[in-house]
Amino acid sequence: MIDFAKISLKAGDGGNGAVAWRREKYEPTGGPAGGDGGDGGSIIIKATRNLSTLDDFKYKTKYKAENGEPGGKSKKFGKKGENLILKVPVGTILREAETNTIIKDFKIDDEEFIIAKGGKGGRGNVHFKNSIRQAPRFAENGKKGQEIDLIMELKVLADVGLVGLPNVGKSTLISVITSAKPKIANYHFTTIDPNLGVVNIDNERSFIVADIPGLIEGANEGQGLGHNFLKHIERCRVLVHLVDISGIEGRDPIADFKLINEELKLYNDKLSEKPMIVALNKSDLDFNDNASKFIEEFKDDYKIFKISAATTNGIKNLLDATYDLLLESEESQYDLIENVNESFLEEFYNKEIEFDLQFAKDNEIFVVFGKRIDNLLERVNLEDYDSRMYFESKLREMEVFDKLKEMGIEEGDSVAVGDIVFEYYE
C-alpha cells in the first residue's frame, strides 16, 4: 500500500485580456472592445471512502490545471479553465513540503478542498478607456496560477483498530465481521497493509474497522515496519486487542499482551489512553485454560471476551460491546496529530501570486496599471500635497520607477497612472 506521496501542483494561469476595437459601419473610429481573459482552473483535492491507498500518486507526481483562454473581440470573455480534481482516501493529511506544515486533514467522505487557486483572467482594453486614454492599445495579462509542493500522508481513519502480534487472527476476524477479503495464511506478516471494512451489526448499528498489520517488539523504534503500522492506530477511536490465547506456538499470551501495550505507549502516550477491549482469539484451541489465567490478571482493567474467529463463537458479544464503547468514546479520539495551520493557509491564499503591476507603452506614454494601482488610487487625494507625497512614495515602494527605467524611460517622458498623467523626472 502506498501511504506516502510527494507531488507538485500548478493551478491554471488566467487568460490574457484582448486588445480589440469596435468595427461598425457608421463608427469608423469605434472605441475599445477587447474582452477579458478566462480565469485559470483551480486544483481541488477530494476525500473519498472508495480509496484506501495513495497508489495513484506513485508514478505521476506533477499535476496542472487548465489555463483560461484569452479574451476575444467584441468584449467576449475567454473560457475559464477546467478545475482539476484529485481524489485521496479519507484520512489523508496534506503538508506543505518545504516547511512540513499541516494544511489539511481529511476526515469526511466527499470533503473538497481548494489547494491551489487558478489565476485571474486579465482585463481587456475596454476597461482602460478614460478621459486621458480614449483608445488604449494595451490590455492586462492573466495572473499566474498558484503553485505548491505537497506531501500527502495517509493515516487510516477508522472507528475501531484491530491490534496484536502477527498471526493472532486479525485478518480472519475482519473477514468474518465485514465484507473485506484480506489475504489469510498461517504465517507471520501475511498482512502488510491495513484492511478496512464496515461492520453491520444490524440495521441501525455499524462502524468502520481497520485490521492493522501485526506489531512486533521494537515497533515503536521502527523495527519491522513499526512506524508505518503504528501511525494508522493513531486515528482509531477504539482498539480491539486480539490475543492468541491458544498458546499453540509456545508463546505466553499475558506477556504478548503486555508487550504490544508497551509498544503502543512508547510510540505515543495517548495511544495507551485509548479505550480498549480484549478479544482472546482461538479460544476453541485453549487446551491449557490460558483464558482463565489471563482474565484473572486483567479483569479489573479491561472488558475481555473469549472468541473464535474461525468458528465465530463469541463474536456477537464482542461486537455489541465494541459498539457500546464507541458511543462512550469522544470524537476527539480522531485527533492525535498536530493542528492544521490555518494562518499558513490564509497567508498562502491571500498573497500576491506575482508582482501585480503591469506596464505598457501607448503612443509614447508609459502606462502603469493593475489591481495594486487601482487600490492605491482609491486611497489618495491628489489635490492634497501630503496625499501626493504618499502616492509618490508608494510608487517607489512598488518599484514602479525602477521598472520604467528598465523600459527606457527618460526625463520628461509622460507616465499615465489611472487618469493621472505626469512627466517623469529623477
Side-chain angles (χ1 to χ4, degrees), residues 176-178 198-208 315-324 327:
V176 170
I177 62 178
T178 77
V198 178
V199 177
N200 293 303
I201 301 175
D202 50 41
N203 291 335
E204 298 180 352
R205 297 183 300 163
S206 65
F207 57 83
I208 298 172
I315 288 180
K316 177 64 167 61
N317 292 337
L318 172 66
L319 297 182
D320 288 340
T322 301
Y323 184 82
D324 290 343
L327 294 181

Side-chain angles (χ1 to χ4, degrees), residues 225-383:
L225 293 175
H227 281 169
N228 290 346
F229 297 164
L230 284 163
K231 71 180 179 182
H232 293 298
I233 303 172
E234 289 182 300
R235 312 303 295 273
C236 302
R237 289 165 54 196
V238 167
L239 300 182
V240 173
H241 192 148
L242 259 68
V243 178
D244 180 355
I245 202 64
S246 69
I248 56 177
E249 293 189 4
R251 300 187 62 91
D252 179 358
I254 292 177
D256 288 348
F257 179 72
K258 290 180 176 179
L259 184 153
I260 295 301
N261 282 351
E262 183 66 14
E263 291 299 324
L264 296 176
K265 183 177 181 180
L266 289 173
Y267 178 74
N268 186 330
D269 277 339
K270 291 184 178 180
L271 291 185
S272 63
E273 300 171 5
K274 281 183 175 289
M276 178 182 286
I277 288 178
V278 182
L280 305 182
N281 194 28
K282 305 181 185 179
S283 59
D284 54 319
L285 303 177
D286 180 19
F287 305 117
N288 297 317
D289 200 19
N290 292 324
S292 296
K293 302 171 188 175
F294 190 101
I295 292 170
E296 183 63 28
E297 177 84 13
F298 299 107
K299 63 183 179 181
D300 295 332
D301 301 315
Y302 302 98
K303 291 183 178 179
I304 304 172
F305 295 85
K306 293 170 61 176
I307 70 165
S308 170
T311 67
T312 72
N313 286 339
I315 288 180
K316 177 64 167 61
N317 292 337
L318 172 66
L319 297 182
D320 288 340
T322 301
Y323 184 82
D324 290 343
L325 189 56
L326 275 172
L327 294 181
E328 298 171 12
S329 68
E330 299 179 359
E331 290 292 332
S332 60
Q333 287 290 331
Y334 277 138
D335 298 321
L336 280 179
I337 64 167
E338 305 92 324
N339 291 329
V340 171
N341 189 330
E342 294 181 357
S343 62
F344 176 93
L345 281 177
E346 184 176 356
E347 181 180 348
F348 176 72
Y349 286 142
N350 293 335
K351 72 180 180 180
E352 294 290 341
I353 298 174
E354 63 177 23
F355 190 58
D356 187 20
L357 287 174
Q358 299 197 42
F359 300 83
K361 196 172 183 182
D362 188 9
N363 286 339
E364 304 305 317
I365 297 178
F366 291 85
V367 183
V368 185
F369 59 104
K371 273 292 182 183
R372 292 177 71 186
I373 288 294
D374 295 344
N375 294 338
L376 176 60
L377 289 171
E378 290 176 0
R379 302 198 304 269
V380 297
N381 175 10
L382 295 177
E383 294 182 1

